Amino acid sequence: MPSESVTGTVTRTLYSNEESGWCAIRLSDDERGSFAATGPLLGVREGDELRLTGKWVDHSRFGEQFEVSSYVQIAPSTLEGIRRFLSTGRIKGIGPTMAGRIVDAFGLETLDIVEREPARLLEIHGIGNATLAKVKASWEKHRGIQQIMVFLTGHGIPPGVAVKAYGKYGSAAVEVVRENPYRLAEEVFGVGFRTADRIARRIGIPADAPQRLQAGLLFTLAEASIEGHVFLPRSTLVEHAAALLEVESAVLESPLGAIAQRELVVTVERADDEPAIFDRRLEAAEASVAEDIRGLLRKPTDHDIDVKAAVAWYQRRAEIELGARQHQALTMALSGRVLVVTGGPGTGKTTLVQGLTRILGAKEQRVLLAAPTGRAAKRLAQATGSGARTIHRLLEFNPRTRAFTRDRQRPLEADMVVVDEVSMLDIELAARLLEAVPPGCRLVLVGDADQLPSVGPGNVLGDLIASGVVPVVRLDHIFRQAEQSRIVVNAHRINSGQMPVSDGNDPDSDFFFVARNDPAEAADLAVDLAGRRIPRRYKLDPVDDIQVLAPMHRGELGVRRLNEKLQAVLTPPGPELTYGHKRFRVGDKIMQIRNNYDLEIFNGDIGRIELLDEEESEIVVRFDGRSVRIPHDDLDDVIPAYACTIHKAQGSEYPAVVIVLHHQHHIMLQRNLLYTAVTRGRKLVVIVGSRRALGRAVSNATQRHRFTLLADRLEGRIRPSGPSPKYS
């Protein structure tokens, strides 16, 4: 069937996949009326007028729709089209109200005036010189993006890439992409090798081109780091890269040498195994962590505290009797240089930290408390009654310079640093932290080794324990008060491979399992529990106090679909701001999913939308008492958070959690995942789903192996690859 062209105005985004660029949209046209189109349409917005090339197909479920192979954006030709185009938010300074005024004044000439005579906009009430400057800058950016978008979409590339490429290279974007599209994969965040490779193949770069082979190797290493690996064995790297590139392994020897020569990778020799290939930064980070830990351990211990008397004093002041392991941990923390404390819920980790802060406070010594995330730091502060900060704030991150103020040259002013939730600590953040710990300081690392490992590369807590070099105390006694909680009891049962116990007839229980085998029924029940029944029964706020957790993003029981359902219940329809497939409303619970150092909001931070700025297409979000204006271009980095993945909930606690667990999630059903989910609930945990899925999760104790060498370095089995490491 030959291709044909159709035009239309986008009226709605039905579906959008940011990874593949595939979207489903609805358009309107005077001749055809309303119709659907599908294809590589990421980046189009409501109000856009498009000329689509492709063919009509009859979908078995959705009926007739236009299957797009390519498209171009065309200037709107009607007054309504121009108004809608200007109202999309892409032109800063012009929102829906102002767009109406401009179109009323200039009619069909509006876009020509914006393009050629922008100064005439000063004739419009409400537009001054400052707004005019915004409009001119945005229009120039829009035109630049359009140029590269035409180029890229002509090669079948998602339009979202155009925006990112223009943001990185400006007007030189087309030239850069033509010369070496693989630079996109190396230099533009969110653009992967496969996207760059599609561009390269379409513009005629051969499959065995050196830049392609080098990019494939670097991409393979980067993908491994996303899965938690710090390095890959040489043969594994070559094998995976060869499969990706569809070339013979032998072809990659020279490109591997080339990226080593460019100092993009580092090879570390291992006595009993094949060489390890590291990304340069990750190798420096791991080496730095090992050297700093060993350096602290080598420092002589001060004897400025009568430890036995101090522990006895704390027990009297707190009117408690420490358990044997708590007593041991407190003694070792006060008498040594480095200590790792691990244990599950109810085993007394918080009591230990309280003891350290009180004893050293009485000695007028300074204790600094920190955690990897804002919510974990807030919880630590509440639990101990002492100030606690995120590691980023502890190290005084400077958004302007994008560097930590606290480092080797300007270390922390502390006698002891205590870090909680260390299981979340990846190798790079660990390196930054340890660089700032002064030589005479004590370091106490607290965490639960049975929880999920860090989202980022490394297995810092596990490796410290496995090394046998760092003193470790494992708290394993559940105290009487905690024993009364079924959440705590069941968490430990799950961790030991036993099914949790749930008595649905006990209204005073804090743990319930509700069986629902049908996915649609399970989703509806989870939404009803979180949105209506639990708030009513337990007098909890459905947004702030209750968190829905699921193992995965996709599917009927995935986070995305659950968020749509929960938003419909918890934030009634009203004024909203649309961004791709996301719809933001005042009151929405949202999560930041990437570190934004300029705005000082970080991956995992949760807030509530308190204002929609339609004129600027921006939102204002309240994060922990601080209002942050999130510009339109950063809306990619925020997602609805009524439901979130279990991984994203690490380090957080909520009064109540609803966990959705179904055999649809089979690839994610692991014991440490379920254990982590259950331990997020403080007062109430409800699991909704199939008993089969619950049983699989409890019985599946396998954990994906991560390639790291931190334990080996601590043991002295890896010779330093160069001079004393400095991670920077």
Side-chain angles (χ1 to χ4, degrees):
M1 184 182 296
S3 297
E4 60 179 293
S5 293
V6 298
T7 59
T9 303
V10 181
T11 58
R12 188 183 173 190
T13 299
L14 304 171
Y15 175 81
S16 173
N17 187 314
E18 295 177 10
E19 295 179 8
S20 66
W22 193 93
C23 301
I25 61 174
R26 186 159 290 280
L27 303 96
S28 66
D29 176 69
D30 290 340
E31 291 184 18
R32 296 180 177 81
S34 178
F35 66 96
T38 63
L41 294 160
L42 188 69
V44 305
R45 302 176 192 168
E46 294 178 19
D48 286 352
E49 290 201 21
L50 307 177
R51 181 178 293 112
L52 311 171
T53 301
K55 60 184 179 181
W56 291 99
V57 297
D58 191 15
H59 194 279
S60 59
R61 181 178 174 186
F62 300 109
E64 189 180 52
Q65 55 190 25
F66 194 76
E67 192 174 85
V68 178
S69 56
S70 65
Y71 79 92
V72 294
Q73 188 172 337
I74 58 178
S77 56
T78 66
L79 294 178
E80 177 61 17
I82 295 169
R83 187 193 63 77
R84 293 181 69 173
F85 170 77
L86 292 177
S87 300
T88 59
R90 70 191 67 195
I91 308 301
K92 296 293 183 184
I94 302 179
T97 302
M98 189 60 68
R101 292 179 192 170
I102 295 171
V103 173
D104 288 345
F106 300 126
L108 295 174
E109 295 181 75
T110 294
L111 297 183
D112 285 336
I113 287 171
V114 176
E115 171 82 21
R116 299 185 178 89
E117 302 177 84
R120 289 190 61 189
L121 293 174
L122 294 172
E123 300 171 18
I124 307 300
H125 175 70
I127 295 182
N129 288 322
T131 300
L132 178 62
K134 284 186 190 177
V135 172
K136 289 168 70 175
S138 287
W139 185 259
E140 184 179 343
K141 179 181 178 182
H142 170 70
R143 301 297 289 174
I145 291 172
Q146 283 294 99
Q147 285 184 346
I148 191 170
M149 194 172 289
V150 168
F151 171 74
L152 292 177
T153 56
H155 292 91
I157 305 306
V161 176
V163 179
K164 294 174 179 177
Y166 186 84
K168 176 69 176 178
Y169 306 116
S171 59
V174 171
E175 182 182 346
V176 168
V177 173
R178 277 203 182 103
E179 184 179 327
N180 183 6
Y182 297 104
R183 285 183 61 181
L184 292 171
E186 292 184 32
E187 300 170 356
V188 180
F189 181 83
V191 179
F193 170 81
R194 292 184 178 87
T195 297
D197 201 41
R198 284 200 299 272
I199 300 173
R201 304 305 292 272
R202 284 179 174 264
I203 63 178
I205 292 176
D208 61 351
Q211 64 263 46
R212 179 174 186 262
L213 303 182
Q214 293 176 34
L217 287 162
L218 292 172
F219 173 76
T220 303
L221 267 186
E223 285 287 284
S225 73
I226 293 172
E227 295 176 6
H229 303 296
V230 181
F231 75 91
L232 285 179
R234 182 186 176 97
S235 64
T236 303
L237 170 61
V238 170
E239 179 187 341
H240 288 185
L244 168 74
L245 296 163
E246 298 180 336
V247 299
E248 296 295 325
S249 297
V251 175
L252 296 176
E253 291 299 319
S254 177
L256 184 56
I259 59 175
Q261 189 70 31
R262 293 167 61 193
E263 298 185 344
L264 297 175
V265 300
V266 174
T267 301
V268 175
E269 299 293 337
R270 297 184 287 171
D272 303 324
D273 213 332
E274 62 180 300
I277 310 297
F278 286 79
D279 173 271
R280 176 181 58 82
R281 288 182 59 80
L282 294 183
E283 197 280 332
E286 190 179 77
S288 181
V289 169
E291 184 58 32
D292 286 336
I293 290 287
R294 288 168 64 89
L296 286 172
L297 290 170
R298 286 193 295 265
K299 293 289 181 182
T301 304
D302 296 331
H303 298 285
D304 53 349
I305 296 177
D306 185 333
V307 175
K308 185 176 180 181
V311 174
W313 171 86
Y314 170 60
Q315 290 186 106
R316 289 195 305 272
R317 288 291 299 268
E319 298 181 344
I320 60 171
E321 184 176 349
L322 296 172
R325 293 290 178 88
Q326 283 181 308
H327 195 287
Q328 179 191 12
L330 192 54
T331 300
M332 291 174 66
L334 292 170
S335 59
R337 283 295 181 197
V338 184
L339 178 67
V340 170
V341 180
T342 182
T347 57
K349 298 191 296 293
T350 300
T351 302
L352 169 67
V353 178
Q354 286 174 335
L356 291 171
T357 59
R358 290 195 185 183
I359 291 170
L360 292 181
K363 292 288 184 180
E364 297 184 345
Q365 295 191 15
R366 189 175 183 191
V367 181
L368 298 179
L369 306 181
T373 67
R375 294 183 71 87
K378 185 177 180 180
R379 184 163 58 88
L380 179 62
Q382 291 170 341
T384 61
S386 302
R389 287 170 279 180
T390 65
I391 295 173
H392 280 83
R393 290 199 168 94
L394 180 76
L395 302 180
E396 299 174 14
F397 184 83
N398 185 330
R400 186 179 58 81
T401 62
R402 296 181 177 272
F404 292 98
T405 304
R406 297 289 183 175
D407 53 20
R408 295 192 198 279
Q409 284 68 48
R410 189 171 175 261
L412 296 165
E413 297 169 9
D415 298 289
M416 175 178 285
V417 174
V418 181
V419 185
D420 196 16
E421 296 289 353
V422 179
S423 62
M424 301 178 65
L425 198 60
D426 65 45
I427 195 67
E428 293 192 272
L429 191 54
R432 293 294 194 188
L433 172 68
L434 284 160
E435 281 188 345
V437 175
C441 187
R442 298 178 176 90
L443 177 66
V444 179
L445 303 172
V446 183
D448 188 345
D450 296 314
Q451 287 189 25
L452 291 167
S454 61
V455 175
N459 184 24
V460 175
L461 179 59
D463 287 347
L464 290 173
I465 295 170
S467 73
V469 173
V470 181
V472 178
V473 176
R474 184 178 289 273
L475 304 178
D476 53 11
H477 175 71
I478 305 175
F479 287 88
R480 186 176 300 170
Q481 185 178 0
E483 282 182 331
Q484 299 171 6
S485 166
R486 283 212 170 167
I487 296 174
V488 173
V489 170
N490 280 327
H492 287 273
R493 285 181 64 87
I494 291 166
N495 202 31
S496 63
Q498 301 177 73
M499 287 287 283
V501 289
S502 170
D503 184 1
N505 297 319
D506 181 4
D508 296 324
S509 180
D510 59 2
F511 186 99
F512 299 92
F513 171 74
V514 186
R516 290 292 187 274
N517 290 322
D518 181 75
E521 289 182 12
D524 289 343
L525 178 58
V527 170
D528 190 45
L529 285 166
R532 300 186 182 93
R533 291 162 62 173
I534 292 175
R536 193 165 53 241
R537 169 70 173 82
Y538 295 91
K539 305 295 188 272
L540 296 173
D541 185 287
V543 179
D544 292 333
D545 297 335
I546 303 170
Q547 186 63 51
V548 177
L549 302 176
M552 301 170 65
H553 283 283
R554 298 174 182 165
E556 194 167 9
L557 289 171
V559 164
R560 292 175 186 171
R561 183 63 180 139
L562 289 169
N563 268 315
E564 291 174 3
K565 289 176 171 284
L566 285 161
Q567 186 187 46
V569 171
L570 298 173
T571 315
E576 61 182 34
L577 189 119
T578 302
Y579 186 86
H581 67 282
K582 295 179 283 192
R583 297 177 184 272
F584 298 111
R585 301 170 185 167
V586 171
D588 272 344
K589 182 179 182 178
I590 63 100
M591 178 184 288
Q592 180 75 14
I593 59 171
R594 276 185 281 273
N595 290 339
N596 188 320
Y597 297 114
D598 294 327
L599 300 178
E600 293 188 75
I601 49 177
F602 303 101
N603 187 3
D605 284 353
I606 289 179
R608 297 278 298 271
I609 297 177
E610 58 182 11
L611 178 68
L612 301 178
D613 187 334
E614 291 183 296
E615 292 294 317
E616 299 289 343
S617 285
E618 299 175 348
I619 60 177
V620 179
V621 183
R622 193 84 173 164
F623 291 100
D624 287 330
R626 187 171 68 97
S627 295
V628 179
R629 179 174 286 271
I630 299 179
H632 182 269
D633 291 346
D634 289 332
L635 293 180
D636 270 334
D637 299 340
V638 293
I639 59 172
Y642 300 104
C644 72
T645 64
I646 297 166
H647 281 86
K648 284 294 186 185
Q650 277 185 274
S652 299
E653 273 191 356
Y654 313 90
V657 297
V658 177
I659 304 166
V660 181
L661 213 64
H662 197 270
H663 48 264
Q664 280 190 355
H665 306 133
H666 65 279
I667 60 173
M668 298 292 291
L669 295 176
Q670 296 176 332
R671 185 183 298 171
N672 61 349
L673 186 90
L674 177 59
Y675 174 76
T676 300
V678 168
T679 54
R680 299 311 89 201
R682 193 164 60 246
K683 297 179 180 178
L684 179 68
V685 171
V686 182
I687 300 177
V688 177
S690 69
R691 192 170 295 279
R692 182 177 123 198
L694 179 62
R696 176 179 172 85
V698 170
S699 62
N700 184 13
T702 58
Q703 297 185 32
R704 180 172 291 182
H705 173 72
R706 293 189 168 192
F707 288 114
T708 72
L709 287 182
L710 179 58
D712 299 76
R713 294 181 194 269
L714 288 167
E715 294 174 56
R717 294 200 289 148
I718 300 294
R719 188 178 302 171
S721 55
S724 183
K726 294 182 181 179
Y727 178 66
S728 60

